Amino acid sequence: MRERKYSLPRHTNLASNGSRTGAFLIDLAISTLLTIGLFYGVFSNIFRERNENLTNTLNEERYASHLFFKDENGELDSHDKDTPNQRFVDDLAYFYTEYLDEGHTVEWFNVNILQVDGSGKDYFVYQTTNEVEDKTKIAIFKDGASQQDTNIYLQQVSDYAINVTFNEIPKVHKMIKDEQFSYQLTFILALLPSVLVTYLLVPYVSKDGSTFGKKAFGLGLASGDGYKFKKWQILLRVVPLLVVIASLFIPIWSNLLVLLIVFLTIFLASFALSMASPKRMSLHDFCANTIVVNSKTSVVFEDEIEE
């Protein structure tokens, strides 16, 4: 027998959390497939020239910095611990002394980056001219220094140069943001119609307000009092999703890990709310004052008079 912890008509039976979870997963899969299809089949083609131009411009600047190089296939790549030692050093020296407009000299590079003067790693020594140290030339590898350790150190230097020094150059920073925003916009434009079709259009034209997932599990919608829902309530149920989509324009979402953590937190909070609520109402149910019912065992009347 159904527990009477809430005030609902006796002919209204709530959907179980298990069936709601199953319906949620089906709807999520449908909206994801629609988004992927629209992203690659429609909007990527519409914005292809713009996105490629932004990426190419940024890659040209990366190549000009000498922190990146073109591989045998012509693709841009960054130096790593497998890069030949001298090439690694020469390119780092070019970045700091030539590319950066900060007046760095080779002597500055030897001391502050290669740490020749014993301020840190003991991998490099000055070149000599007539047995005299020549600090105007790029330092060379010290005899006996481990090539593996040296290249690992150079990779750390290169990573810092790319992720901090290069990426924070104003013109480069703007290029990166423009590129990220362009691809974000492409994704959002593919996501929005997928969400609207799955969670708004299908329930709106359905008599019981069900999505494809809810139909698969025999579920439907009712108003919070157990009677027939109003069409405007379906729109309110989508509002939290639209807010989340709008928030994708916030620059912090360029970090995919942060995006996944926040979305997972929202989902878990909504699920916990559904578990704790006597009417099993999740976040969007509270926004619209709706409940999810078992369509097979419930009779949803228009109002008390019809009942």
Side-chain angles (χ1 to χ4, degrees):
M1 181 180 295
R2 178 169 55 84
E3 298 181 8
R4 304 292 295 178
K5 294 181 180 179
Y6 39 77
S7 176
L8 288 177
R10 62 182 180 179
H11 44 72
T12 302
N13 296 311
L14 294 174
S16 67
N17 283 316
S19 59
R20 290 194 65 174
T21 301
F24 164 79
L25 293 175
I26 290 177
D27 290 332
L28 179 63
I30 292 173
S31 61
T32 300
L33 290 175
L34 282 174
T35 300
I36 293 173
L38 289 173
F39 181 81
Y40 289 104
V42 179
F43 292 102
S44 285
N45 292 325
I46 294 175
F47 291 96
R48 176 173 296 169
E49 183 176 354
R50 169 186 168 83
N51 292 341
E52 288 181 350
N53 286 340
L54 290 170
T55 300
N56 290 338
T57 302
L58 179 57
N59 284 343
E60 288 172 3
E61 196 65 33
R62 286 170 172 158
Y63 184 68
S65 73
H66 281 217
L67 293 175
F68 297 82
F69 64 95
K70 292 182 180 179
D71 60 21
E72 55 189 19
N73 297 319
E75 298 294 330
L76 210 63
D77 198 2
S78 60
H79 296 299
D80 58 28
K81 60 183 178 60
D82 297 322
T83 302
N85 280 336
Q86 195 56 52
R87 177 183 180 182
F88 216 150
V89 174
D90 290 344
D91 283 345
L92 283 171
Y94 179 90
F95 171 70
Y96 281 104
T97 63
E98 300 291 337
Y99 178 81
L100 289 181
D101 188 20
E102 297 181 0
H104 294 321
T105 63
V106 171
E107 185 175 356
W108 179 94
F109 174 77
N110 288 335
V111 173
N112 292 277
I113 303 302
L114 300 185
Q115 300 184 359
V116 177
D117 286 348
S119 56
K121 305 299 181 182
D122 191 23
Y123 299 141
F124 302 92
V125 294
Y126 287 115
Q127 295 189 48
T128 58
T129 302
N130 297 327
E131 298 184 355
V132 178
E133 289 183 346
D134 189 348
K135 297 183 178 182
T136 64
K137 295 181 179 179
I138 299 173
I140 59 176
F141 295 97
K142 183 178 181 179
D143 290 340
S146 168
Q147 179 176 342
Q148 180 180 7
D149 291 344
T150 303
N151 266 21
I152 290 175
Y153 169 69
L154 289 174
Q155 183 178 11
Q156 293 171 348
V157 172
S158 178
D159 289 343
Y160 181 86
I162 293 172
N163 297 322
V164 179
T165 308
F166 177 75
N167 286 348
E168 292 305 317
I169 296 173
K171 66 176 181 179
V172 176
H173 185 72
K174 184 179 185 304
M175 290 179 187
I176 293 173
K177 290 300 181 183
D178 288 345
E179 182 192 41
Q180 289 176 344
F181 178 79
S182 185
Y183 281 100
Q184 275 182 297
L185 180 62
T186 306
F187 172 73
I188 292 170
L189 290 177
L191 177 63
L192 183 59
S194 303
V195 167
L196 292 179
V197 168
T198 305
Y199 299 102
L200 179 61
L201 180 60
V202 173
Y204 192 85
V205 299
S206 176
K207 291 183 178 180
D208 57 1
S210 60
T211 59
F212 287 122
K214 287 184 176 64
K215 289 181 185 296
F217 282 85
L219 308 180
L221 282 184
S223 187
D225 57 7
Y227 294 104
K228 182 72 174 179
F229 66 90
K230 305 298 188 295
K231 292 292 186 181
W232 55 264
Q233 288 177 290
I234 294 178
L235 177 60
L236 289 182
R237 282 174 60 86
V238 184
V239 168
L241 278 174
L242 296 179
V243 171
V244 170
I245 292 174
S247 73
L248 293 177
F249 287 102
I250 300 175
I252 192 175
W253 296 139
S254 59
N255 188 322
L256 182 59
L257 179 60
V258 174
L259 176 65
L260 293 176
I261 291 175
V262 172
F263 271 56
L264 181 61
T265 301
I266 293 174
F267 167 71
L268 292 177
S270 183
F271 184 77
L273 188 63
S274 174
M275 293 289 289
S277 169
K279 295 182 181 180
R280 299 171 188 166
M281 298 170 68
S282 55
L283 178 62
H284 49 280
D285 289 313
F286 276 102
C287 289
N289 188 29
T290 56
I291 56 176
V292 180
V293 299
N294 187 328
S295 297
K296 297 178 181 179
T297 62
S298 299
V299 179
V300 181
F301 291 102
E302 188 71 30
D303 49 33
E304 293 184 8
I305 296 177
E306 185 184 40
E307 181 186 8

